[in-house]
Amino acid sequence: MTPIVFVHGFLGGSRQWQGQVDALAGYDVVTLDLPGFGENAQLDALSSILGFADWALNELKMRGIEKFHLVGHSMGGMVVQEMIARAPERVDRLVLYGTGSVGVLPGRFETIDTSKTRACADGPQATARRIAATWFLERERAVTYEDCAAIAEQSSLKAILTGLDAMHSWSGAESLSAIQAKTLVLWGDRDRTYPWSQTEKLWQSIPNANLAVIPESAHATHLEKAGLFNGVLSDFFGAC
C-alpha cells in the first residue's frame, strides 16, 4: 500500500497528526518533523522552502520510501508543492491543506515582517504560543491549543525567523499548472492565515484538483473538526 506522508506547517511537528494516524490505521502513515521544528527542533532550520523539500525527499529516500501520497499543511503545503515539482514521479496523490501558492501570505492575521519584529521583542516561547492561538476559532480556549502550543514552543528564535523568511521569499504559483497528480485542496472556512483567494488559486490552477471546505474551523481544521477532516482524507485516499 502506498504510504501517506504528512508534512506539518510553521511551528508544527509530527505529534500534531496523531488523530490522523489513528483514523488512517489501515494505511502506512509517515509524519515528518522538518529541521528546526517538532522533534527536530535541535536541528538548524533551513533557509528556503526548496531546502525543506530537498531534505524531505532525501529523508524519505533514506527510509526506503520511494513513492507516496503527500499531505502538506500551511508552510508544509509550500514544501510539498516543491517536492512534487522536484520529483513528480514519486508522488501519487496530493493534499494541499490550509496553504497557498504565494509565501508572502496576503490576508494573514499579521504580516510576516510584523511576526519577525514581535518574535524578536517577545522571545520564541511567547511568539509560539501567540501564533498557535490564531490557528483555532476559540484561540487559547480550544481543547487542543495547549498540545499545539507545546510543540510550537520547541522552536528557537532562529528557527522562527528563518522559517518566516523561507515562506516570505517563496512562490509556487507558476508551477501549479504542471501538477499532474490527483489533488485535494482542503480549507477551513475561518482560516486566519490563508484567505479564500489562496485556496481558490490552488483549486482553479491545478488541472486535476478537487476542493473540500470544512465549515466553522480555522487553520487547525484537522484538530477542530477531526471527524470531518479524517473522513474527507479517508474518502480521497480510499478512492485510489
Side-chain angles (χ1 to χ4, degrees), residues 119-150:
C120 291
D122 300 341
Q125 289 189 320
T127 297
R129 294 186 66 82
R130 180 180 65 82
I131 290 179
T134 70
W135 302 341
F136 299 90
L137 279 184
E138 295 185 353
R139 297 183 181 266
E140 292 91 347
R141 298 187 302 277
V143 173
T144 52
Y145 163 73
E146 284 296 339
D147 290 339
C148 275

Side-chain angles (χ1 to χ4, degrees), residues 77-220:
M78 302 178 190
V79 173
V80 301
Q81 287 175 64
E82 288 292 350
M83 290 172 71
I84 197 168
R86 300 280 278 185
E89 74 285 353
R90 296 182 65 185
V91 181
D92 190 347
R93 293 201 169 198
L94 177 68
V95 178
L96 298 176
Y97 155 45
T99 190
S101 63
V102 181
V104 72
L105 301 182
R108 186 173 183 257
F109 60 90
E110 67 187 20
T111 67
I112 286 180
D113 285 339
T114 297
S115 288
K116 290 174 63 179
T117 299
R118 294 188 68 178
C120 291
D122 300 341
Q125 289 189 320
T127 297
R129 294 186 66 82
R130 180 180 65 82
I131 290 179
T134 70
W135 302 341
F136 299 90
L137 279 184
E138 295 185 353
R139 297 183 181 266
E140 292 91 347
R141 298 187 302 277
V143 173
T144 52
Y145 163 73
E146 284 296 339
D147 290 339
C148 275
I151 295 171
E153 285 180 296
Q154 294 177 272
S155 294
S156 67
L157 178 60
K158 182 179 179 182
I160 290 173
L161 297 177
T162 301
L164 289 168
D165 282 339
M167 287 190 286
H168 194 267
S169 62
W170 178 82
S171 175
E174 294 183 357
S175 300
L176 295 178
S177 62
I179 296 176
Q180 296 301 309
K182 180 71 173 177
T183 301
L184 174 66
V185 178
L186 204 160
W187 181 66
D189 69 348
R190 303 283 295 278
D191 196 328
R192 299 183 179 98
T193 305
Y194 291 86
W196 166 247
S197 58
Q198 286 257 48
T199 302
E200 184 180 28
K201 175 73 172 178
L202 295 174
W203 175 41
Q204 294 293 330
S205 301
I206 297 171
N208 199 17
N210 294 122
L211 173 68
V213 177
I214 306 295
E216 286 299 305
S217 61
H219 196 49

Side-chain angles (χ1 to χ4, degrees), residues 6-8 13-21 31 73 97 222:
F6 285 79
V7 183
H8 65 79
S14 60
R15 287 190 288 121
Q16 74 182 51
W17 301 115
Q18 188 56 51
Q20 286 62 59
V21 173
T31 58
H73 178 224
Y97 155 45
H222 68 292

Side-chain angles (χ1 to χ4, degrees), residues 2 28 47 69 76 81 126 217 220 230:
T2 304
D28 180 11
S47 60
H69 305 304
Q81 287 175 64
S217 61
N230 295 337

